[in-house]
Structures are given as structure tokens and as C-alpha cells.
Amino acid sequence: ETELSKAIFQTKWLRKKKMKYVVVSGGVVSGLGKGVTASSIGLILKSCGFRVTAIKIDPYLNIDAGTMSPIEHGEVYVLDDGGEVDLDLGNYERFMDIKLTRENNITTGKVYKHVLEKERRGDYLGKTVQVVPHITDAIQEWIERAAKIPVDGQSGPADVCVIELGGTIGDIESMPFIEALGQFSYRVGSENFCLIHVSLVPVLNVVGEQASLLRLVSFGVFILTMSNIMWSNCLQKTKPTQHSVKDLRGLGLSPNILACRSTKPLEDNVKAKLSQFCQVPMENIVTLYDCPNIWHIPLLLKEQKAHEAILHVLNLTGIAKEPALEEWSLMAKMSDKLHVPVRIAVVGKYTELLDSYLSIHKALLHASVARRKKLVIDWIPASDLEQGAKKENPDAYKAAWKLLKGADGILVPGGFGNRGVQGKILAAKHARENKVPYLGICLGMQLAVVEYARNVLGLADANSAELDPNTKNPCVIFMPEGSTTHMGGTMRLGSRRTYFQSKDSKSAKLYGNRSFVDERHRHRYEVNPAMVPRFESSGLTFPGKDETGQRMEIVELPNHPFYVGAQFHPEYKSRPGKPSPLFLGLIGAASGELDNVLQQSCQESVGSRPHSNGKLERLYWKGAAKKPVSVVYSVCDRVCS
């Protein structure tokens, strides 16, 4: 009878289905982890059987993140359609295993540009164009439009849209979006709108009078007895969250759920206090306390029944499945227990802010977990490897080279500008001459070619036209379709196809001997096709090219254990449980297991791998018998045992 009632409810819901919206806001301070929280909520809802999409709202005036410094804002994440977006969209894609579009990143610049273009066309018919209602209406229309875009490979809109509001409640630039979301919640109805507010509950050491009272208590002196107070050496303070919720409600939004960041789980008396002053039920208050890695956050939310609170607010309790996160849980726990290290040196320009290379970090992590290795990354500022640093800062120079020489593998990521370029070239040279596994991405690939031209072909002045426009031996040149006057959105962006020229290359084998792959790009310069014959005749190969055969996509050194460069950015499509093949190759080579990785990539068998919804996907490899072969497939690492 219960199952019948549930089936009837599901049928009725499907007939009159409306999009459900989960909004994640943040208070007190920035950097609390709203992006990871939103991603985790999306993963849990997906594991409950719902189709999920995501939107990130960034209140800055930039049209997109493409022209922003990685040191200031973190990496620029690139989507299949060429959108240059905030790094949080990378978290959404990795956790929920979806493919978003540029429409899923809303910025103040985009909204105002859209409204002003309408005003110039006369669409407002002489009306005075104002923040309310024109900007707020445009925001709401954008949300509804973006939420309907399929992102999971299926047709039709998703069931739930997770929206992250960037910034902190109280920021001036966020005001139009908060007003728009307040109106939006009324428009769609309370049963279709759930607001989760992420706030900080700091833990302070006891000082002053409180410390004196504790000392008296420890000596057995009776001071005060209250059943809801727990004496300890630390106190969890709720006042910042109280004020944040007060500000939020004053702006027209009331949170349904509180997600409290803290160093330890909230005590019951703290939850009771928050519930009373913030007017949120105790069961709707969850703690996001510090975890060994962010893969534990969805499990943390599930343990505290956050999904039940969300489903209750959205009136989805009757049709939701129990979250299936067994495989995700196993992956998170296995990651904590890895102890055999693999040390990778990342030689970059923006190492002072590690978020500048967030996708690189995650792709290395996915691959190392797949090979059951504990990832150790040495972040090396490229300029510290240069001769100038030897004179100006000899300690940094010595430390950088010590790390580089002690690495099991070297990765040189993309970047722009001259700073640190010579250090990256020296890193590529060290890897080539000492047979250290090397992966160069975008600029890292181009500089590997420059290094080869200088030190193998003997072209001492070989360079990239980006770095030296007057070089007589331009190994890397400006692409003819690029713009020399505008920076934003003018590069070769998004998913492009790379065709393998031979199945004998390591890169082709890593990709399973497919004839082509689609990977995401972000560059203005390319390897000079006029110099390719000279490179190939001296032993440097280009096993991957574009559809014309004139644009070099992959470079390899065949007589090296692993020396690969890619013009594209393979890190953007790496996923937990489905690591990028090139990163898998680097980790495999760095840990002495490349042959096994290549064999497993090329051979076909039967197995399973975890989806981001926690379920297992049956995997039939080429050449396998139609009847499933009996194997045990280890979680998330493609290793048969």
C-alpha cells in the first residue's frame, strides 16, 4: 500500500512537475566553502534519484572570469562551450558529473550588459530603466532560462537547480541578486524554494573571567549550575551567525537550513541557541566541521540528514530514494588510508595561491587515488629555479632545485606572460635529460618544444612569439584567428577534437587507442607548423593534431619514460573515479607503474566504476567476450584484482 501511494504521488508530481530551487548563500566571512557545500548538496540530491543542475552567481562587474588574475580570484575554469567561468563550476562538474554551459555562470557584468543592450534597442519602450524591476527581472529570467538547460546528457530540464550566491551577505554588489532571489522565492512558491545559509561558528579559547570561573570549578568551588552549559576549554560562539541571519532576513530572505562551518561538531546547546535566535528548527541545523578531504562533505551532510530537511522543504519526500553513496564513501575513506607516496613537482607562476591550480590539484588527486598512491605535491615558483634567483635569493633557489630533483614527476601548467618562463624551461630540460616523467599543459607543452629547439636542435634563440616577438626561430606563434586588441573571450576556447596520428604513442594508449578525443582548450598561441618537420626528424613526435593536421595538440618524446605535452587542458574533464588519462599516465610513470596503466587502458575487460551519484556503472571494454568475465573491480581506480 505504501509503495502504491508512493507511485501515485510520483505520477502526479511528474505530470505537474515544477523546477525546484536550492539556494546556497554565505555569511560572516568569505571562503567558508559555499561551492563545496553546493556541490555536495547536488551530489546527494542526484544520489536520491533526481536530475540536478547548478548555477553560480558572481556579483563582480566582469563579464566573465577570463580576464581575472588567478592570484586574485583563483583559476579560470573552462567549459565545453568555451565559457570562462568561476572555479566553483569546476567543483559542480566534478561532484555531480555534469557538463555546464556559460549560461550557468551569472555575473553582474553579464546582467547589466544584457539590460543595457535591451535599453539601446528600445525594448523598454521609453521606461526609466532601474535596478528594480529591470535588473532584478533580468536576473530571475536568467535563472529560469539557465535552469532549463540539460547538463547531464539527457533531454529536458533537470528536477532541481542548485544556485550558489557568491560573496557574503551584506556586500553592496550582492544587493540586486538578493532582492531578485527574494522576489523569485515568492514567484516560484515556498514549496519550490529552499535557502541554505552557510555561516561561521568560531571556536574560541576561554580567556579572562570565563577562564577564572573554570579554574574555580576545577578546584571544586560551586559557582553556577545550568543544564544547557557545557564547561570546556573552548567555546563555540553563535553571535556571528545570529547577526548574519538577521541581516539576511532584513533583506527579505529567511533561511530554511543553516550549514555551520566550525572546527568541530556543534554541541546540542549551541544548536538550540541558533534555533531559538535564527528561527530554524534544530533538525535543520547541520555542522560542516573540518574533514580530511572534501569528499567527506556529502557524507557529513547525509549523516546529519540534511537531504531529508531539503526534501521536506521542497515537498519531495514521497518520491525521493535513499541516497546511494556507498561507492563515494568507500572512495573517500580509501583516500584517507593511502600511505605509499608519489611526489609531483608543480612548477608554476601562481603558486602563492593554490586555488590558481585547483583543477590541476584535483586531477592529480583523482589519478593518484586511482593508482592507490598518497599524493604529495611540491609547489615550486618557477622564477625560483632561474639564475636571477640564485643571486637575489639563494636560499629559495637552493630549496626549489632540491624539490625539483627529489620529485618523482614534474608538471608544468599553463600560464601567461614572461615571469617564470625560464624556470619552466629549466624544469622541462631537467625532466628530459634525467628521464623524469613530465607533463606539460598548454604553455607547459609549448615551453617543452622551445627547450627542445634550444638544447637539441641547437637554436639558442628559439622562443615563443608571445615571449619574444622578434625571435628568429619562433617555435610557437600567434594563431591567425586570435584578436590582438581584445583580451576577453578571444582565445581558442572550449571543447575541440584531437585526432591521434598513431596508436603507438603513450598518449593514444592512455586514451584507449581511440581515433580522437574531445578536450577543452584555452590558448592564443600554437606550435609553429613550419618547424614541425624539423622537430619530427630529430625525434620529437606530435601524435595528436587537430582536424586540419596543422595544429599540434600533443607532443611526445618516444625514447623517454614519459615526456608528454598537451595543448589542451585535460584537468578540466577529470572526475573522481574517472581520472584524466594523461594525469593517470603521469602518476603511473612517477610511481613506476606506467606499463600497467597502459595495459589496463588498452585492454578491454568487464568491470564497474562509480558514478558521482554513488552507483556503479557496468563497463564493457573492447575485445571482451559478450558474457561478463568474473573479475573484482576495485573502487574508482580501474585496477582489476
Side-chain angles (χ1 to χ4, degrees):
E1 186 177 342
T2 304
E3 291 298 323
L4 179 60
S5 300
K6 190 173 182 179
I8 294 172
F9 186 86
Q10 287 176 333
T11 304
K12 290 181 178 179
W13 179 75
L14 288 171
R15 286 175 181 171
K16 57 177 184 178
K17 183 175 77 168
K18 289 186 178 181
M19 178 72 70
K20 305 287 185 177
Y21 298 91
V22 178
V23 176
V24 179
S25 63
V28 183
V29 294
S30 60
L32 290 178
K34 296 190 303 295
V36 175
T37 303
S39 303
S40 301
I41 290 166
L43 171 61
I44 293 176
L45 292 175
K46 186 173 181 180
S47 72
C48 287
F50 298 105
R51 294 177 59 201
V52 184
T53 185
I55 294 173
K56 173 67 186 297
I57 295 175
D58 284 305
Y60 48 68
L61 280 170
N62 303 63
I63 299 296
D64 57 35
T67 58
M68 300 177 73
S69 168
I71 296 175
E72 179 178 332
H73 193 67
E75 76 169 359
V76 177
Y77 189 78
V78 179
L79 303 171
D80 266 4
D81 66 355
E84 296 173 287
V85 297
D86 183 83
L87 58 83
D88 280 318
L89 277 80
N91 279 324
Y92 305 159
E93 288 201 337
R94 285 187 287 268
F95 271 65
M96 294 182 252
D97 198 14
I98 55 179
K99 291 184 179 179
L100 299 170
T101 71
R102 66 180 75 220
E103 292 290 295
N104 294 85
N105 192 195
I106 306 174
T107 69
T108 299
K110 284 182 179 180
V111 174
Y112 273 77
K113 182 173 182 285
H114 172 72
V115 170
L116 290 174
E117 286 175 348
K118 290 181 69 175
E119 186 274 332
R120 290 291 84 188
R121 290 196 303 266
D123 292 358
Y124 294 114
L125 303 176
K127 295 283 187 181
T128 302
V129 181
Q130 298 174 293
V131 173
V132 181
H134 301 101
I135 295 295
T136 52
D137 283 352
I139 293 169
Q140 294 175 68
E141 291 165 3
W142 200 307
I143 289 173
E144 289 187 312
R145 182 173 67 251
K148 294 177 181 177
I149 300 173
V151 296
D152 56 1
Q154 301 182 46
S155 60
D159 303 316
V160 183
C161 177
V162 179
I163 304 170
E164 180 191 349
L165 175 60
T168 306
I169 295 301
D171 293 344
I172 293 174
E173 58 265 30
S174 299
M175 294 302 179
F177 293 101
I178 295 172
E179 174 63 27
L181 288 170
Q183 297 177 17
F184 190 68
S185 65
Y186 177 74
R187 269 182 53 192
V188 300
S190 59
E191 73 280 4
N192 298 314
F193 188 92
C194 177
L195 176 59
I196 301 173
H197 189 57
V198 182
S199 187
L200 177 68
V201 177
V203 179
L204 302 181
N205 290 326
V206 177
V207 294
E209 294 180 2
Q210 291 175 328
S212 299
L213 288 176
L214 286 178
R215 283 195 293 271
L216 289 171
V217 169
S218 68
F219 281 114
V221 179
F222 176 78
I223 301 295
L224 182 64
T225 302
M226 291 182 65
S227 60
N228 63 337
I229 292 180
M230 179 181 293
W231 294 113
S232 65
N233 290 328
C234 297
L235 296 175
Q236 293 177 319
K237 308 302 288 184
T238 64
K239 193 65 70 177
T241 296
Q242 290 180 45
H243 281 289
S244 180
V245 172
K246 179 182 176 182
D247 292 342
L248 184 61
R249 296 177 70 180
L251 295 169
L253 287 171
S254 295
N256 302 103
I257 298 170
L258 287 181
C260 300
R261 282 285 285 113
S262 191
T263 56
K264 62 178 185 177
L266 295 186
E267 305 289 351
D268 287 342
N269 65 300
V270 175
K271 282 189 176 184
K273 191 173 183 180
L274 285 171
S275 177
Q276 180 181 1
F277 286 97
C278 299
Q279 298 176 24
V280 175
M282 275 190 67
E283 59 270 21
N284 286 16
I285 300 175
V286 298
T287 318
L288 301 175
Y289 54 84
D290 295 348
C291 295
N293 66 68
I294 62 172
W295 291 347
H296 286 277
I297 302 300
L299 307 175
L300 203 61
L301 292 171
K302 180 190 174 186
E303 288 170 7
Q304 298 176 74
K305 301 187 183 302
H307 61 288
E308 292 184 5
I310 296 170
L311 296 172
H312 178 73
V313 172
L314 298 177
N315 195 26
L316 292 174
T317 305
I319 60 173
K321 302 175 183 176
E322 187 65 23
L325 292 172
E326 293 80 11
E327 299 298 334
W328 185 276
S329 175
L330 197 56
M331 181 177 66
K333 292 175 182 176
M334 184 179 69
S335 176
D336 296 338
K337 295 178 181 178
L338 298 174
H339 61 275
V340 179
V342 58
R343 187 173 293 274
I344 303 297
V346 177
V347 182
K349 178 181 179 180
Y350 315 112
T351 53
E352 55 263 53
L353 180 66
L354 300 187
D355 274 357
S356 300
Y357 301 113
L358 183 62
S359 291
I360 292 283
H361 186 185
K362 298 306 178 185
L364 286 170
L365 179 63
H366 301 159
S368 62
V369 171
R371 298 308 307 168
R372 297 192 177 184
K373 298 293 184 293
K374 181 179 178 61
L375 177 65
V376 180
I377 300 180
D378 292 321
W379 300 96
I380 302 177
S383 54
D384 285 353
L385 296 171
E386 299 173 355
Q387 286 298 311
K390 187 176 183 180
K391 298 178 181 178
E392 298 171 6
N393 194 343
D395 290 340
Y397 176 83
K398 185 178 179 180
W401 274 102
K402 183 178 180 180
L403 289 175
L404 188 72
K405 291 178 180 179
D408 300 316
I410 297 172
L411 189 150
V412 177
F416 300 92
N418 277 287
R419 182 168 66 87
V421 162
Q422 298 308 315
K424 294 179 180 181
I425 290 175
L426 289 170
K429 180 183 179 183
H430 172 79
R432 180 180 59 81
E433 292 180 343
N434 294 280
K435 306 295 185 181
V436 180
Y438 176 88
L439 177 60
I441 296 173
C442 198
L443 180 62
M445 171 219 182
Q446 297 171 1
L447 295 181
V449 173
V450 170
E451 188 279 325
Y452 193 88
R454 289 181 181 180
N455 299 303
V456 178
L457 298 186
L459 305 175
D461 67 337
N463 214 331
S464 166
E466 177 185 9
L467 309 171
D468 181 8
N470 299 317
T471 178
K472 294 181 180 179
N473 291 287
C475 301
V476 179
I477 60 173
F478 189 79
M479 293 187 296
E481 67 266 36
S483 172
T484 58
T485 57
H486 288 73
M487 298 291 288
T490 58
M491 289 186 275
R492 183 172 180 247
L493 294 164
S495 182
R496 309 286 177 132
R497 186 156 289 182
T498 295
Y499 291 88
F500 289 105
Q501 310 299 304
S502 168
K503 292 187 177 181
D504 295 330
S505 66
K506 294 183 180 70
S507 55
K509 292 177 181 177
L510 286 169
Y511 278 100
N513 279 332
R514 283 180 275 174
S515 57
F516 63 83
V517 292
D518 295 316
E519 293 281 9
R520 298 176 185 179
H521 295 67
R522 185 176 184 249
H523 63 112
R524 283 192 178 88
Y525 292 81
E526 62 175 329
V527 174
N528 187 352
M531 294 188 67
V532 168
R534 191 170 179 181
F535 283 122
E536 291 182 327
S537 64
S538 65
L540 192 67
T541 64
F542 297 90
K545 301 180 181 181
D546 76 341
E547 66 278 3
T548 68
Q550 296 299 305
R551 184 159 285 159
M552 305 303 114
E553 294 283 3
I554 302 176
V555 62
E556 273 190 38
L557 201 56
N559 60 353
H560 190 284
F562 188 85
Y563 195 87
V564 177
Q567 185 59 74
F568 49 80
H569 289 262
E571 69 271 21
Y572 291 143
K573 295 182 75 171
S574 183
R575 302 285 182 267
K578 295 186 286 185
S580 162
L582 294 187
F583 279 83
L584 198 61
L586 175 66
I587 295 297
S591 55
E593 301 174 353
L594 181 60
D595 290 342
N596 290 338
V597 173
L598 294 175
Q599 184 178 7
Q600 289 157 13
S601 297
C602 295
Q603 289 179 349
E604 300 297 345
S605 185
V606 181
S608 55
R609 64 186 179 199
H611 267 318
S612 62
N613 62 4
K615 295 183 177 180
L616 286 175
E617 170 194 5
R618 296 295 289 176
L619 187 66
Y620 289 81
W621 287 353
K622 296 177 188 174
K626 291 183 178 179
K627 185 178 180 180
V629 180
S630 177
V631 298
V632 178
Y633 205 87
S634 66
V635 176
C636 85
D637 64 356
R638 291 182 171 182
V639 179
C640 293
S641 57

